[in-house]
Amino acid sequence: MSTNQPRHIRLTSHPEPSAHRWPLHWGAGSAEERGPVIGSVTRPADRNVIGTHGGSYSLYRALAVSAGTLSPLQRPDLANTHPVTRIGPFPQWREARKIVSLDPWGADVGRDFAQAIGEGIDIRPTIAITRARLNMAELNALISAGELTPDGQVLHPGGDVSVTKAAIDPVWWLPGIAERFGCTETSLRRTLFEQTGGMYPELVTRPDLAVFLPPVGGISVYIFGEPAALADPRIPLTCRVHDECNGSDVFGSDICTCRPYLIQGIEESVRQAQRGGVGLVVYNRKEGRALGEVTKFLVYNARKRQEGGDQAATYFERTECVAGVQDARFQQLMPDVLHWLGITRIHRLVSMSNMKHDAMVEQGIEIGERVPIPPERIPPDASVEMEAKKAAGYFAPDAKSAEALKGVIGRPLGEM
């Protein structure tokens, strides 16, 4: 048996007193007033959230501890890990209901809570911001075709693109999450507890803890151009909000338009930054419409094996038969990352999704032009997807796009 075992075990069958050394005041005007998010298991008395830091990787940490390769008392050394650029603070950070699914103060905890960390409090960042270059074969092809031109700042000879990127872990303020979804906090807590098989008893035993670090994928942000420009509505902003599709994004599967649309978002962002504006790609870890890749592949089989083959008319029906719901992404939380970046206006939205568009508008973000995927970029095997999405009410801005998306269902766009 490994000797590297946790020293503290706390039962959660009964609430503890609500008075806490590190209370959290969501929507406060500064990091100090809001308080640090502490999800560490090294000092249980300091914890002020449900769940643990890096929730989606916590079980891998547990395996490392079990294997004796990681001390359960390990704390990160945050020296020189601070963000390469400052994001915010913006007015949206001080409105509790604007940002409910991430911690806007989560990038600079090493600075904001340096004294507490020095005293031994295990406070960890939930956001990291760095700079990098990306290189994608499709961009190199566009350079070779003369459709993109290196400028030496945004786009370099050889195809490298300079970006500022951020990784964001989810931090859910439960009262705000419940309000977004139109339910009570009590029912949300109970459902989260039940649907995770009782994995987080504090959801129902600790009503004094209002913040949850869920074990779900986070968000990656790629900024093309000057990050500070994102918050200036006078500076043109091109934005693509993209939901994860491993099969297409990484492996190039041609059954959907995900990678082509992602590439288009990057391409348009590069062009906007080269024109003196700023580009943004937000990548949400919501594989298979947040139903998972196993479910997605099962749906593929069901669609292709049905009588008559894969059809737009039954595209979403097959998903619902397998998963019980057509789409679990529910874009209500998606605008939070835009609020974190201070965005109030998107001049060019590279998306045909009305769900994404409407979620942004409902959260007070102004949308200008909407940019569809060009018909020539739609893989042949993805035509069924586009026909189905068109029938479900996807946006098409002109006759050419509408005709390209018109499928077997045949109803004009706008009837749905």
Side-chain angles (χ1 to χ4, degrees):
M1 185 181 211
S2 170
T3 58
N4 288 335
Q5 297 298 320
R7 297 179 180 177
H8 304 282
I9 298 177
R10 180 176 58 181
L11 298 177
T12 56
S13 58
H14 299 284
E16 296 184 8
S18 59
H20 200 284
R21 182 185 176 192
W22 305 103
L24 291 172
H25 304 288
W26 206 261
S30 69
E32 184 178 9
E33 293 173 278
R34 206 289 309 278
V37 170
I38 308 175
S40 170
V41 297
T42 59
R43 290 175 51 161
D46 295 332
R47 288 169 50 83
N48 59 5
V49 300
I50 301 163
T52 65
H53 287 304
S56 61
Y57 292 95
S58 59
L59 293 182
Y60 289 108
R61 279 203 311 273
L63 288 177
V65 171
S66 297
T69 60
L70 175 66
S71 167
L73 303 179
Q74 188 271 342
R75 291 176 47 202
D77 179 354
L78 298 179
N80 296 320
T81 65
H82 56 279
V84 298
T85 187
R86 295 292 305 280
I87 300 292
F90 298 110
Q92 295 95 316
W93 295 20
R94 301 179 178 94
E95 297 180 49
R97 285 166 174 78
K98 284 285 188 183
I99 301 177
V100 301
S101 61
L102 61 90
D103 174 13
W105 305 99
D108 246 355
V109 300
R111 182 199 63 176
D112 294 333
F113 301 107
Q115 181 176 342
I117 292 173
E119 294 173 358
I121 308 303
D122 191 359
I123 303 170
R124 306 189 183 190
T126 58
I127 299 175
I129 306 170
T130 189
R131 289 194 181 96
R133 291 189 180 188
L134 60 85
N135 193 302
M136 307 183 81
E138 291 90 338
L139 299 183
N140 285 294
L142 291 168
I143 293 173
S144 297
E147 296 183 37
L148 280 178
T149 303
D151 61 292
Q153 293 185 325
V154 178
L155 180 61
H156 302 270
D160 286 351
V161 183
S162 292
V163 295
T164 301
K165 62 181 183 179
I168 304 172
D169 278 340
V171 179
W172 288 5
W173 181 53
L174 294 174
I177 297 283
E179 185 175 304
R180 283 284 174 93
F181 283 88
C183 62
T184 66
E185 183 184 348
T186 299
S187 66
L188 173 66
R189 285 172 171 267
R190 172 60 61 179
T191 304
L192 287 170
F193 171 72
E194 292 174 349
Q195 294 300 311
T196 56
M199 198 174 195
Y200 297 95
E202 290 167 313
L203 286 165
V204 291
T205 65
R206 294 293 305 274
D208 56 307
L209 298 181
V211 173
F212 177 39
L213 306 183
V216 297
I219 302 169
S220 297
V221 172
Y222 288 80
I223 303 168
F224 304 77
E226 178 52 53
L230 291 167
D232 189 340
R234 299 167 299 177
I235 298 177
L237 166 60
T238 289
C239 176
R240 165 73 181 163
V241 176
H242 189 92
D243 292 331
E244 179 181 25
C245 177
N246 185 61
S248 178
D249 295 342
V250 179
F251 293 101
S253 170
D254 66 351
I255 199 170
C256 63
T257 60
C258 294
R259 183 176 174 94
Y261 223 162
L262 176 61
I263 296 298
Q264 184 186 359
I266 294 171
E267 174 190 346
E268 295 294 335
S269 293
V270 168
R271 286 199 175 99
Q272 189 71 277
Q274 288 181 319
R275 293 192 295 263
V278 61
L280 174 68
V281 172
V282 176
Y283 195 89
N284 294 298
R285 293 312 196 290
K286 296 178 181 178
E287 176 62 61
R289 298 193 180 94
L291 299 169
E293 201 165 34
V294 169
T295 295
K296 182 165 73 171
F297 288 7
L298 294 175
V299 171
Y300 285 168
N301 289 344
R303 281 169 45 196
K304 292 179 179 293
R305 288 171 176 163
Q306 66 185 338
E307 185 177 352
D310 202 2
Q311 304 170 42
T314 56
Y315 181 87
F316 290 110
E317 178 186 332
R318 293 296 90 199
T319 303
E320 191 166 5
C321 286
V322 175
V325 64
Q326 293 183 1
D327 193 327
R329 287 174 294 179
F330 304 114
Q331 301 291 349
Q332 289 95 322
L333 302 179
M334 177 268 294
D336 285 18
V337 65
L338 305 178
H339 290 319
W340 173 65
L341 293 165
I343 293 171
T344 57
R345 175 171 171 75
I346 296 173
H347 300 75
R348 303 182 75 238
L349 178 63
V350 186
S351 174
M352 296 168 64
S353 169
N354 284 338
M355 288 177 63
K356 293 176 183 176
H357 170 274
D358 294 349
M360 295 177 194
V361 172
E362 287 170 6
Q363 283 292 308
I365 297 171
E366 184 181 351
I367 306 296
E369 178 187 1
R370 296 174 67 181
V371 183
I373 187 170
E376 63 272 15
R377 294 197 181 188
I378 299 174
D381 203 28
S383 59
V384 170
E385 176 203 39
M386 296 309 295
E387 292 164 359
K389 288 181 175 180
K390 181 275 296 188
Y394 257 50
F395 166 80
D398 53 43
K400 180 180 178 182
S401 295
E403 185 61 29
L405 299 177
K406 189 175 181 181
V408 295
I409 296 175
R411 281 176 287 179
L413 291 161
E415 283 189 3
M416 300 301 291

